[in-house]
């Protein structure tokens, strides 16, 4: 149950402080140019310590490819990869060894498995998203060939909101600031909020918006495997995500059909819609318009403020973190959102090829 | 790609105006008392024509079991079932035969398959949820044995909102009114909104809240198959759903960790949390608290107001519906939300048995 | 676990004396001409009572399509079908209600499920292969489009063996006699053996050889999903099959590499092999030569001779069958072998399209 | 398509001369004592250079665990492992870079993928069975807890046959000789045949028999996932296997029902069968008797005798191997057969737990 995808599939592995984090990508077509620099760069966008607002942990997070690639091309066979866990200070976690950290997964893993790797969250750590980002980067190599582009950006941190439609934004500027918000004025405000939150030892949530351009029409499956349902699952599987909406999303619940319906028209020979409340997906299948969605992130549960809790031995106790952690994981989650999205689109693109 | 679930699996089939809608449930344990009246009753909660606010189509929707049950008990073998499509007036759809109805799936199905069953939406019709409701009812029979209870209700229609936490509501009163809102005052307002919308020939969206009680701790899978990710996919696969949030949901994005974290305490020997922003799920695994989530429904795209559109032969044209349709499908979606939820919980409950 | 295939998938259902036997085919491409007469004819080749050597039970076995087909074309959506169980004389089975019939599945089903449908074998009955034959016929409709041809025939009944290579036979003559052996002299001997066995109330086994022509090169998956491994699973899943070998098969164990290796040569531009010990598959992937394999069938366990056995209540007892049964099920298994083969080839053909 | 199993699943990776061979085991229950010495020992039974009759290549083949194990116990999370490819002399393969080696997978891989890793067979190499053996060893750790025992041995090399039923053999003596035949007299003859074949530069095939004791009753799934069908697929997926038969196997085709049927009787309270032509499986489900089957291996295609062939550039040419290869891979395949068997039994054992 650690596998994602149907034809393009990632089987991921790794605990936060185990030997390595990695995965096996199965179903990647052969003869794709394997751009290892691009993949490493995607991983760098995710890694801790990349800016003043992310954790000070400096993890090298260098990806190593073990199979499936030969002379710079994919072989069509499984692509196994790993990132060694170098900077794992397990001693940092001795204190929490027996504790159930509030709103972390310590308690539920113990209940499910009867055992847990207490070091840094073990399998529930966001370090597991390293595998996601690598596989997503490979998926992007496939999507590049058909022109699909994915842009994710931070549209809200705490109560600082970017109240603009994505069409008003210059999506090439996302990486221009450390908070990954393509509006520099709002970005500054977001950074201020994070800085202030950091000073108080607290954490803060946010929202990421993602836009996918040039998805071919006809991608997605009826009934249970609707394209947006799979995107929803993909996004909700990312640590700290609490909500997903696409197109008009929650706002659609207040709307009438006459204002919500996207009217078809001809743009030359191409069937297009005048509005895009559908978010590029109708009946679970892409219609060629931009796909866009939003993902809500809760504040990371690790805070430097003392909290009551209980431990594994049935004692009430207190937890006080001193580790190095992100005040706000949302900016670092941008490449992760893109990666899960890329995997879904690539997978459903490949599925579609079977039916034509 | 018309199958849902891992161990408890529904393979569904059927077009709106084909011969029958149905499914095959595989993985149902043997020796479950098969309460056909309960199953039919669940289907009756879904069916059209059940009240003045739903469509006037009167579909008998009587479920017929073909296999997997013997002398009132499940055999452990596949349970096939179907509902014949009796009231299918295909002639109603001759007019839309070549049209792409706005915000329906006509265009995307045509693009994907190069063919479509134009009668009543074909496979993309909400009639496909008949299969879901039957399979969900069987899942409930399993869950009943371990005390799991599922309550879904309408918490918003248009801009009429039920601004109460589910704990303030009497969830046994959901079926007391035709809009399935457990607060009679708000329910009346919702019914008024639907009535007014109906008069104008328009449609309207809404929100369903779902609460699951007594889920055992430890259910759910790490990383990609988190319990809430699977619930999200399940819910997003339902026709017209545009958003999903669980626990604190989108509001969490504005919160600090210190207010969001759910503090553990002992309730006797049992580990509980003081708050439940986690929505009963931590790290993707159930923690024994109530699971709750919200699903946003767009207004149904079929309206009785004239709209511009295009047809399959590259002509611009106009669509004017005269068929019988729901002004608001949200009340009828309540049993569907429950059904998808029941399937997910039953499936992950069975998965967990393998690991213990 | 009642589903077969990856992209072209059959989810089958039905007990021998339940209401119906059927299945749902998912993943059939759209716009295939749906030749219902061909499908029914395949089913007729399987059905009981078709000749003097098969059981006298006359089952109409008329297939009914419930979904997935519109105006004679496949829609790309699930194709559900069923065959009603008309001639089910459950009273025939009252006598065996509590018995464990020797070498049948009564005991193991009771052990697995704690319940069994004792009428005619329930789910373990060979009537379940009705679903297989229908799905296989649909797979053949796909394969016809790319020229793949499948020929199965009876090559042994008891100790009467057809000692000829398939290349020496006229495979168009398989249906010319009731035992489905393309050599009329041997066929007569086989029929004699069956007749004699029938008179003695006993049953007899046999072997089916299957040849698949014009399979495109490159079909099959490395390591676990080798084409012959999937064919082996497919064939071994058929009732009464005890062995599978492809190409040189068991004889290869006595051979040297120098005699076994298939030497490549050019036939015009095409790479061919001088011999075909590989059976058309190398490294699990088709090489364009004929695929051929053999399947061994045990004698059907139902015999009209008295046998000792035990019952469900821990008593020793005796069983004496009087039902109508086949003396030799091998001739009727020919279309079943072809059906499972067609499903595998169609499935792997579709998989291959994703990678190109 | 490089994954095997349902709940206990191996996703394998690796090319013969890539960086590493390995896999990810998902679905292993938590809290299993992880005996790394046992696992390494199983790998040592497979490795080349272990005796005078196997290839002189000395591969260290030391397994390294990357995840899923903590303080000597399984965590219930994916167990990733790898074996580095140290002794990979790629230069040995420069000569065959463009050749299609007879009865190898060079041609079919090139046809399927349009690219191949020509070094040592790439993904089609038997080195991929390293992953199998490691995962099988982990499966054995699970099976040990319920008393299941698996014994595979060489029962034929070329025309030297061990004509004894496994019940007449002392299965604890399998590892007593280098050919892994538990009868020392026959073993000597087998070794002679291999030695002679080696001198002539040729290769030779053989047969492995496998016996599984103490399998609980009720394991296996009806219709498509019969226990023997899955075992057949598992075994046929091993390099060089050309045939599989279980219980009475191919011989059953010559038998009458009255001699083939296994008569039930009571052994104390336990239902047993007097004979075991069923091979411990009836209707695809285990009946508690010994499971046994045979697998036929073709002679390894690599021989030191000159052969005609063609190359990738459409030339006729000649191949003359000088590499280090096994004359007979059958003795080294014994632990591989056991491993695939262990994976199937463990997987179906876990599946069964969900239904009880």
């Amino acid at each position: 149950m650690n596998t994602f995808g149907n034809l393009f599939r990632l089987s991921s592995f790794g605990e936060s402080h185990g030997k390595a984090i990695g995965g096996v990508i199965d179903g990647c077509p052969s003869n794709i140019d394997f751009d290892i620099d691009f993949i490493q760069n995607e991983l760098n966008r995710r890694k801790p310590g990349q800016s003043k607002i992310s954790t000070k942990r400096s993890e090298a997070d260098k990806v190593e490819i073990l199979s499936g690639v030969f002379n710079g091309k994919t072989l069509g066979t499984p692509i196994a990869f790993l990132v060694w866990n170098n900077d794992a200070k397990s001693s940092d976690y001795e204190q929490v060894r027996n504790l159930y950290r509030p709103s972390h997964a310590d308690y539920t893993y113990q209940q499910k498995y009867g055992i847990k790797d207490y070091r840094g969250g073990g399998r529930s750590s966001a370090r597991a998203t390293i595998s996601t980002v690598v596989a997503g980067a490979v998926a992007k190599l496939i999507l590049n060939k058909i022109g699909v582009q994915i842009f994710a950006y931070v549209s809200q941190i705490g109560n600082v909101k970017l109240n603009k439609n994505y069409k008003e934004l210059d999506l090439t500027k996302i990486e221009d600031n450390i908070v990954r918000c393509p509006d520099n004025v709002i970005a500054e405000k977001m950074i201020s909020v994070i800085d202030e939150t950091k000073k108080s030892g607290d954490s803060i949530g946010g929202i990421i918006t993602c836009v996918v351009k040039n998805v071919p029409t006809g991608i997605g499956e009826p009934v249970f495997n609707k394209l947006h349902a799979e995107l929803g699952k993909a996004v909700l599987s990312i640590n700290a995500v609490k909500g997903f909406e696409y197109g008009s999303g929650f706002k659609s619940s207040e709307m009438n059909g006459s204002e919500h319906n996207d009217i078809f028209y001809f743009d030359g020979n191409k069937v297009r819609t005048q509005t895009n409340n559908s978010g590029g997906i109708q009946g679970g299948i892409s219609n060629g318009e931009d796909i866009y969605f939003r993902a809500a992130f809760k504040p990371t549960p690790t805070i430097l403020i003392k909290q009551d809790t209980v431990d594994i031995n049935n004692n009430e106790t207190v937890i006080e973190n001193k580790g190095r952690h992100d005040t706000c994981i949302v900016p670092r989650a941008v490449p992760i959102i893109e990666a899960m999205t890329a995997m879904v689109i690539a997978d459903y693109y490949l599925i579609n090829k079977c039916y034509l």
Side-chain angles (χ1 to χ4, degrees), chain A:
Chain A
M1 298 291 281
N2 288 268
T3 296
F4 186 83
N6 297 280
L7 289 176
F8 183 92
R9 303 199 308 163
L10 168 65
S11 294
S12 96
F13 66 82
E15 280 74 47
S16 176
H17 288 57
K19 267 199 167 176
I21 300 276
V24 181
I25 300 162
D26 203 356
C28 181
S30 59
N31 276 312
I32 303 279
D33 287 316
F34 197 78
D35 186 342
I36 187 70
D37 294 334
F38 171 74
I39 295 166
Q40 182 62 51
N41 189 55
E42 289 291 283
L43 211 43
N44 294 348
R45 291 174 68 208
R46 193 214 77 97
K47 84 171 173 183
Q50 60 185 275
S51 79
K52 66 167 185 167
I53 57 169
S54 71
T55 170
K56 283 180 199 153
R57 292 193 312 265
S58 60
E59 301 163 12
D61 289 355
K62 193 159 164 45
V63 67
E64 186 170 342
I65 305 299
L66 303 177
S67 67
V69 180
F70 184 52
N71 290 340
K73 302 264 191 192
T74 58
L75 285 167
T77 58
I79 301 167
F81 62 90
L82 59 75
V83 166
W84 297 103
N85 288 327
N86 294 318
D87 187 37
K89 291 198 187 170
S90 301
S91 55
D92 279 6
Y93 295 93
E94 275 305 309
Q95 188 222 352
V96 299
R97 179 173 186 152
N98 294 318
L99 295 186
Y100 295 139
R101 292 170 299 158
S103 287
H104 272 284
D106 304 332
Y107 172 66
T108 52
Y109 270 62
Q110 182 69 38
Q111 287 291 306
K112 183 179 183 70
Y113 296 114
I115 184 174
K116 70 184 172 88
D117 181 350
Y118 56 82
R119 302 164 305 167
R123 182 75 182 137
S124 73
S125 166
R127 259 190 88 70
T129 58
I130 283 175
S131 310
T132 304
V133 170
V134 173
V138 175
K140 283 184 178 180
L141 293 177
I142 298 171
L143 295 176
N144 285 345
K145 297 186 72 166
I146 55 168
V148 174
Q149 288 181 296
I150 301 172
F151 302 94
Y153 60 90
V154 175
S155 53
Q156 186 177 325
I157 296 290
N159 55 16
V160 180
K161 300 177 188 180
L162 175 61
N163 283 318
K164 289 181 183 166
N165 186 290
Y166 72 86
K167 295 191 175 175
E168 305 169 53
L169 301 168
D170 182 350
L171 299 178
T172 66
K173 293 195 183 304
I174 293 168
E175 296 292 317
D176 286 3
N177 56 62
I178 57 177
V179 81
R180 295 200 168 97
C181 172
D183 178 310
N184 275 323
V185 177
I186 301 293
E188 283 307 310
K189 289 184 188 169
M190 289 173 172
I191 294 167
S192 295
V193 165
I194 295 172
D195 281 342
E196 283 158 34
T197 307
K198 189 175 195 173
K199 278 174 202 153
S200 66
D202 215 333
S203 65
I204 188 114
I207 291 177
I208 290 176
T209 297
C210 183
V211 183
V212 194
K213 290 175 171 288
N214 301 325
V215 176
T217 57
I219 290 184
E221 296 288 315
V223 188
F224 300 122
N225 293 288
K226 293 187 169 85
L227 186 55
H228 58 266
E230 195 77 2
L231 284 169
K233 177 177 176 174
V235 165
L236 286 158
S237 78
I238 299 171
N239 305 51
V241 173
K242 303 284 290 190
F244 170 88
E245 59 179 0
Y246 80 104
S248 54
F250 274 86
K251 277 182 193 143
S252 69
S253 60
E254 303 190 22
M255 292 169 80
N256 287 123
S258 59
E259 63 178 321
H260 190 272
N261 280 357
D262 296 319
I263 301 302
F264 287 113
Y265 72 102
F266 285 107
D267 181 6
N269 285 327
K270 197 169 153 40
V271 174
R272 303 265 330 251
T273 62
Q274 289 174 1
T275 49
N276 187 15
N277 287 312
S278 300
I281 302 172
Q282 292 177 324
I285 299 172
S286 62
N287 68 355
E289 302 294 322
D290 293 342
I291 292 173
Y292 63 98
F293 63 81
R294 302 200 323 146
F297 288 77
K298 71 171 185 177
T300 178
T302 302
I303 55 177
L304 305 185
I305 299 167
K306 201 183 289 191
Q307 299 169 92
D308 290 329
T309 193
V310 302
D311 72 15
I312 206 168
N313 302 312
N314 286 350
N315 300 310
E316 294 179 341
T317 181
V318 162
I319 182 169
E320 198 170 358
N321 290 298
K322 285 170 186 159
R324 301 153 299 169
H325 294 281
D326 286 278
T327 301
C328 180
I329 46 76
V330 184
R332 283 179 55 208
V334 164
I336 303 168
I337 288 277
E338 290 180 9
M340 290 304 303
T341 303
M343 276 199 279
V344 170
I345 304 291
D347 187 30
Y348 278 62
Y349 165 70
L350 292 174
I351 290 171
N352 243 34
K353 294 183 72 171
C354 307
Y355 296 114
L356 297 177

